[in-house]
């Protein structure tokens, strides 16, 4: 469930009127609900109670320090993919020894940094990387904890850019070569084999592909565990999806069914599909959810600048753009769009909602039926908490947006809006 609701005609986040935040910080701006993040984390944690487990929040989804701090205080571990992410964890009061370090292209600087700080494990994706980590660990005279990512070759049925578990993807090592690679790792003197990892993709709404991957891998993990007794965990990755378009599916506009929508994969259904398969392993089970924790906990606020009617279409032009939220342009991602104040309640018309950037890909909605909007009105793009701000850029020299965290009836700015001076900082004339 998320904490964005209309009270009378005004859209609230928890106890705070979003219009008040828009008045104070301006638009565009990101707003997150602390309550939603906490609830998502706790519900998943609770659903997995029968397993010895750890939730390693995939911080690539949203890496604001305040959000990391919130999750660290909830007891989250973290899945990181760069030296910059490790730096953020340390700044946010998190601990390196509760981080797993993933990614196909770790650099020497990043590996050294992670070894010096003492990360819990490197999730390794190739033999070349295994050898490189071994060499660096030798130079530093430490043992590097490693897990190897298995590519289970299952189809997650998700967008091709966010599907990772097929053998044609760049991720992981094929099932057929697995024992051989673990043997090679065991022969390297500066490595400690700590686990096994997999991840099949993102935005998966059906428990089946998760169960399929786990079912396929459990016997293999069993074998590896017997061969390498230092193995203590099996990470089944992230990928639990959220419902972005409940109104589309149910055919009505009462969009806050986004809680337990029939199409939503609940933590309970997910746990039911995988836990019985995992339990007999007797290993610690790690999860790496990103989107599930923060996706429906954030909105992007924008103001309508102009309404432009052409013979073909009505374009509602807002002040946010693809550089602020790239998901529609990149994955044809769907985000519900609702007015902050719906007291005007106009008739719905078919429109495109677009930003000011000079590209035809700069849209948030195409041919969508939405109550007509007027210049000066403000809207919220829902479910923008994951892969929203973190994927933003300053394209068209548009400063990065502020981020606000709501907690009950209080709110605070957790990132200031960039200024024009910030935009050119570091550039040399
Ligand atoms: N673990 C690994 C190894 C990953 O590659 C990812 C995401 C996750 C965990 C977290 O996945 P999640 O639970 O958030 O689905 N920008 C795209 C999503 C990219 C996902 C990349 N990897 C989007 O906006 O849909």
């Amino acid at each position: 469930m998320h904490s964005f609701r209309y009270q009378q005609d005004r859209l609230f986040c928890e106890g705070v009127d979003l219009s008040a935040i828009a008045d104070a910080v301006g638009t565009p701006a990101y707003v997150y609900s602390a309550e939603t993040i906490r609830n998502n984390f706790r519900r998943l944690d609770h659903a997995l109670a029968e397993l010895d487990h750890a939730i390693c929040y995939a911080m690539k989804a949203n890496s604001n320090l305040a959000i990391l701090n919130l999750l660290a205080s909830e007891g989250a571990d973290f899945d990181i993919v760069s030296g910059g992410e490790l730096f953020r964890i340390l700044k946010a009061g998190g601990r390196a020894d509760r981080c797993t370090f993933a990614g196909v292209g770790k650099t020497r600087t990043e590996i050294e940094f992670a070894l010096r700080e003492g990360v819990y494990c490197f999730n390794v994706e190739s033999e070349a990387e295994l050898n490189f980590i071994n060499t660096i660990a030798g130079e530093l005279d430490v043992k590097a904890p490693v897990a190897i990512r298995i590519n289970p070759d299952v189809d997650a049925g998700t967008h091709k850019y966010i599907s990772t578990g097929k053998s044609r993807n760049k991720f992981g090592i094929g099932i057929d070569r697995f024992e051989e690679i673990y043997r090679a790792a065991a022969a390297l003197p500066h490595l400690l084999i700590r686990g096994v990892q997999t991840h099949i993709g993102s935005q998966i709404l059906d428990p089946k592909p998760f169960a399929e991957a786990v079912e396929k891998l459990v016997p293999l993990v069993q074998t590896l565990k017997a061969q390498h007794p230092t193995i203590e965990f099996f990470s089944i990755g992230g990928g639990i999806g959220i419902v972005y378009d409940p109104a589309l599916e149910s055919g009505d506009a009462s969009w806050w069914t986004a809680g337990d929508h029939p199409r939503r994969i609940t933590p309970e259904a997910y746990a039911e599909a995988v836990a019985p398969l995992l339990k007999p392993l007797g290993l610690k089970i790690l999860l790496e959810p990103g989107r599930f924790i923060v996706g429906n906990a954030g909105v992007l606020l924008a103001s309508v600048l102009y309404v432009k009617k052409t013979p073909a279409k009505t374009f509602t032009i807002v002040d946010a753009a693809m550089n602020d939220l790239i998901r529609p342009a990149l994955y044809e991602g769907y985000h519900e769009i609702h007015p902050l104040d719906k007291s005007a309640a106009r008739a719905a018309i078919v429109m495109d909602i677009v930003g000011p950037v000079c590209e035809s890909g700069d849209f948030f909605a195409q041919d969508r039926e939405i109550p007509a909007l007027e210049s000066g009105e403000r809207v919220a793009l829902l479910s923008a908490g994951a892969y929203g701000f973190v994927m933003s850029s300053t394209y068209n020299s548009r400063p990065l947006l502020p981020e606000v965290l709501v907690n009950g009836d209080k709110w605070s700015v957790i990132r200031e809006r960039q200024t024009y001076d910030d935009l050119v900082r570091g550039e040399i004339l």
Side-chain angles (χ1 to χ4, degrees):
M1 302 293 276
H2 62 67
S3 309
F4 296 87
R5 293 278 179 286
Y6 279 108
Q7 291 191 18
Q8 272 85 38
D9 284 332
R10 302 173 78 85
L11 189 57
F12 273 63
C13 172
E14 303 186 26
V16 179
D17 185 345
L18 286 171
S19 300
I21 295 178
D23 287 342
V25 305
T27 61
Y30 277 95
V31 180
Y32 310 119
S33 155
E35 177 180 69
T36 309
I37 296 172
R38 275 195 297 269
N39 285 347
N40 288 341
F41 180 84
R42 288 177 190 173
R43 186 166 166 191
L44 185 58
D45 198 34
H46 184 75
L48 294 159
E50 66 166 301
L51 294 173
D52 175 17
H53 71 276
I55 299 181
C56 307
Y57 167 61
M59 63 175 283
K60 62 168 82 73
N62 186 324
S63 57
N64 185 288
L65 295 184
I67 307 271
L68 299 177
N69 179 269
L70 171 76
L71 283 163
S73 60
E74 283 293 309
D77 291 34
F78 296 94
D79 181 56
I80 64 172
V81 291
S82 70
E85 288 196 344
L86 178 54
F87 179 79
R88 281 181 175 277
I89 289 292
L90 300 174
K91 280 274 174 205
R95 284 168 38 179
D97 64 357
R98 298 190 61 168
C99 291
T100 49
F101 190 171
V104 295
K106 302 174 190 78
T107 65
R108 167 178 280 273
T109 314
E110 290 176 323
I111 294 166
E112 281 179 2
F113 180 32
L115 282 172
R116 288 211 167 89
E117 293 297 333
V119 293
Y120 175 61
C121 197
F122 291 89
N123 292 341
V124 176
E125 305 231 12
S126 65
E127 273 174 292
E129 184 193 338
L130 212 50
N131 287 319
F132 195 45
I133 293 177
N134 178 65
T135 304
I136 298 173
E139 288 167 16
L140 298 183
D141 199 19
V142 292
K143 276 210 171 219
V146 295
I148 295 169
R149 175 167 174 178
I150 324 181
N151 187 331
D153 196 21
V154 300
D155 192 349
T158 186
H159 189 281
K160 62 177 188 240
Y161 288 3
I162 53 178
S163 176
T164 56
K166 289 292 290 173
S167 52
R168 64 184 154 74
N169 296 125
K170 70 179 172 184
F171 301 101
I173 284 173
I175 279 193
D176 45 326
R177 301 205 43 225
F178 225 64
E179 283 184 63
E180 170 198 336
I181 302 237
Y182 268 86
R183 261 198 307 277
L188 293 171
H190 306 293
L191 300 184
L192 168 73
I193 297 176
R194 187 160 264 173
V196 183
Q197 198 267 353
T198 195
H199 171 76
I200 57 172
S202 194
Q203 183 50 14
I204 300 166
L205 287 163
D206 180 358
K208 269 195 240 96
F210 291 112
E212 198 188 320
V214 166
E215 200 158 19
K216 212 162 165 181
L217 297 183
V218 158
L220 194 71
V221 179
Q222 204 74 270
T223 309
L224 290 172
K225 190 186 160 201
Q227 291 167 352
H228 308 280
T230 53
I231 289 182
E232 58 189 43
F233 77 84
F234 177 32
S235 170
I236 59 171
I240 307 175
I242 62 170
V243 173
Y244 282 97
D245 55 353
L248 269 194
E249 180 73 8
S250 63
D252 75 47
S254 58
W255 51 273
W256 49 74
T257 51
D260 274 348
H261 190 270
R263 206 155 46 87
R264 180 180 193 231
I265 173 171
T266 63
E268 294 76 22
Y270 174 82
E272 203 178 299
V274 297
L277 302 167
L278 291 165
K279 185 132 186 152
L281 269 180
L283 290 174
K284 182 164 187 165
I285 302 302
L286 307 192
L287 264 72
E288 303 162 3
R291 189 188 323 260
F292 174 79
I293 303 289
V294 291
N296 65 3
V299 297
L300 170 58
L301 305 184
S303 298
V304 176
L305 297 172
Y306 309 105
V307 177
K308 172 174 172 176
K309 291 191 177 21
T310 71
K313 286 196 181 225
T314 298
F315 293 99
T316 300
I317 303 166
V318 297
D319 57 0
M322 65 187 288
N323 70 296
D324 304 311
L325 177 65
I326 203 173
R327 301 195 69 267
L330 195 55
Y331 319 106
E332 297 173 314
Y334 184 100
H335 292 267
E336 286 184 73
I337 301 172
H338 295 279
L340 298 196
D341 178 351
K342 62 173 184 168
S343 54
R346 290 182 211 91
I349 59 166
V350 175
M351 66 172 93
D352 281 19
I353 299 192
V354 302
V357 161
C358 310
E359 302 228 13
S360 297
D362 182 24
F363 60 84
F364 292 127
Q366 286 183 308
D367 300 318
R368 201 184 290 180
E369 201 175 300
I370 299 180
L373 293 162
E374 285 182 0
S375 171
E377 271 187 272
R378 293 177 296 204
V379 293
L381 284 82
L382 303 193
S383 302
Y387 307 110
F389 180 87
V390 287
M391 292 182 80
S392 63
S393 75
T394 57
Y395 185 42
N396 279 207
S397 286
R398 293 167 48 87
L400 294 176
L401 303 189
E403 295 174 285
V404 167
L405 183 63
V406 172
N407 201 347
D409 55 8
K410 302 207 167 36
W411 60 272
S412 34
V413 174
I414 56 171
R415 171 194 293 272
E416 290 172 4
R417 188 185 300 280
Q418 268 197 337
T419 63
Y420 287 151
D421 280 326
D422 294 333
L423 261 187
V424 297
R425 186 148 300 131
E427 288 180 41
I428 295 159
L429 205 57

